[in-house]
Amino acid sequence: SEDSGKYTCDNGNEQTTATLTVKALPVTFTQPLQNQQAEEGGTITLSCEVSKSNVTVQWKKAGKVLRPSDKYKMHQAGSVAELTIHNLSGADA
């Protein structure tokens, strides 16, 4: 963290120095994904929120990383991440 480091208090005659260590908190989900139902041929957006802004998330289906395409659109603004799936089919379940 940029605030970690040595800090000194100086009274003009003496100095005292201490080291500050700032531990990074783990990123957690403040709003998890919710189960959804949608109709074939439709479009759906899955949304989740993380505890820190601008932390990059990865979207996966069955463990496989999804890449942006005509079918999959990823959007992230601050701490909210969205995955929009277009032209839904049974294989998308």
Side-chain angles (χ1 to χ4, degrees), residues 51-72:
S51 58
K52 288 184 184 180
S53 288
N54 302 316
V55 169
T56 304
V57 303
Q58 239 184 7
W59 288 95
K60 298 179 180 181
K61 182 189 177 213
K64 186 172 183 249
V65 176
L66 300 175
R67 303 269 175 231
S69 65
D70 289 343
K71 184 170 197 59
Y72 299 116

Side-chain angles (χ1 to χ4, degrees), residues 4-16:
S4 294
K6 289 192 181 218
Y7 289 83
T8 301
C9 184
D10 189 328
N11 68 10
N13 185 40
E14 289 183 310
Q15 288 185 343
T16 180

